[in-house]
Amino acid sequence: MSAHPLLLQQFSLLRLLSAEALNQIAPLASTRDFAKREMVLAKGPPVPYLCFLMEGRLQAIDFTLDGREVGLYFIEPGDYFGELSLIDGEAQPEFVIATGRARVVLLPGAEIRPVLFSSPQLAEALSKRLAQRVRQQLNQRQILAVNNPLHRICAQLQIMIGGTPGQTPQQLIIKAPTHQELAIMVNLTRETVTRTFQVLLAQGVLTRQGDQLLVDKIKLEKLAQSGGKNDPVTRNGEQ
């Protein structure tokens, strides 16, 4: 079933297209629903589509050589993915799974690629996205080099809240990841993440609000920069 141009306009990347271009690609678009934990994209074969998340949430994952699952980043509604194969025609570098029920809009890569690269604005937007992903991966590598589990999780939370000095000392993480989702991002066990969250909640660093987390940025920063002495998470045995 083709998509209406108004549907495509909800995606910031496609809003850079002219009305004529949107009308041209709308009949080519299709939608697909995914269940929780269903694979949206597989690692390996080139992706024949440029994909846009309409509803739900996705997570890009990969596996270490010893078979441990590693979470790379989340994909939120309005975001797009599968762009690497679109750009260079090479293999899809990671798996993408649905963290809950999700709906994805698919645009055939062969048809959408010339449209995207005919616009300097769109080419710039794609380049900035790739640069952002590279920076995310560099930050993730730095986090994984931290030995102390408490500090590693605090560093991951700092990336999630973002922001700059001088903003409100409390920051809300909307749709906070589950303990399991966070565990695979920082290469720890779910039990270690659960113990760490108990510490952070007890110390007032985190406050739960349904599926959201209210983070005290000042307390989080102090804890992340502390020496890790008498760390209850480390004492329970995981480095």
Side-chain angles (χ1 to χ4, degrees):
M1 179 180 179
S2 63
H4 194 279
L6 289 177
L7 172 65
L8 301 184
Q9 283 183 331
Q10 70 178 282
F11 304 110
S12 59
L13 180 70
L14 298 181
R15 283 200 296 270
L16 298 174
L17 290 172
S18 66
E20 180 182 358
L22 279 174
N23 288 330
Q24 177 185 342
I25 65 173
L28 306 174
S30 59
T31 60
R32 181 177 170 185
D33 293 333
F34 294 88
K36 183 176 181 179
R37 297 298 297 177
E38 187 175 357
M39 186 180 298
V40 180
L41 291 182
K43 179 179 178 178
V47 178
Y49 300 99
L50 180 61
C51 309
F52 295 81
L53 181 59
M54 184 175 174
E55 299 173 7
R57 193 186 209 187
L58 310 176
Q59 187 175 25
I61 66 169
D62 205 347
F63 293 89
T64 61
L65 293 177
D66 60 359
R68 296 188 69 173
E69 187 177 0
V70 178
L72 302 176
Y73 56 87
F74 288 105
I75 299 168
E76 304 290 351
D79 207 353
Y80 62 91
F81 55 103
E83 70 274 16
L84 282 181
S85 287
L86 177 76
I87 292 171
D88 62 13
E90 299 294 331
Q92 165 66 14
E94 67 253 333
F95 299 92
V96 177
I97 62 170
T99 64
R101 294 186 60 84
R103 175 167 294 180
V104 174
V105 177
L106 308 172
L107 282 169
E111 286 79 10
I112 189 62
R113 190 181 191 279
V115 176
L116 293 179
F117 283 92
S118 66
S119 166
Q121 282 184 304
L122 282 162
E124 181 181 7
L126 287 170
S127 298
K128 286 183 175 179
R129 157 55 67 81
L130 290 176
Q132 181 186 37
R133 284 277 167 83
V134 170
R135 293 180 185 278
Q136 286 177 339
Q137 294 305 310
L138 290 174
N139 287 336
Q140 201 67 28
R141 286 180 63 183
Q142 290 179 326
I143 288 175
L144 294 178
V146 176
N147 289 326
N148 183 283
L150 177 61
H151 293 175
R152 194 183 299 180
I153 292 172
C154 287
Q156 184 67 58
L157 291 173
Q158 284 182 310
I159 289 179
M160 288 181 174
I161 62 176
T164 57
Q167 291 183 330
T168 173
Q170 292 187 323
Q171 180 73 42
L172 194 64
I173 298 178
I174 300 174
K175 291 198 302 185
T178 65
H179 290 185
Q180 180 60 33
E181 290 167 352
L182 187 57
I184 66 173
M185 294 183 74
V186 294
N187 197 24
L188 296 170
T189 65
R190 182 185 59 79
E191 292 76 15
T192 298
V193 173
T194 298
R195 290 197 302 268
T196 303
F197 265 61
Q198 290 170 350
V199 172
L200 297 177
L201 290 167
Q203 295 186 9
V205 179
L206 302 179
T207 303
R208 281 211 172 272
Q209 297 182 350
D211 62 351
Q212 301 177 342
L213 280 175
L214 185 63
V215 183
D216 188 311
K217 294 169 62 176
I218 296 176
K219 291 182 178 179
L220 179 66
E221 183 177 355
K222 288 181 178 179
L223 194 57
Q225 294 177 350
S226 67
K229 296 179 181 179
N230 300 319
D231 176 4
V233 179
T234 303
R235 289 204 311 268
N236 275 292
E238 181 163 3
Q239 295 290 334

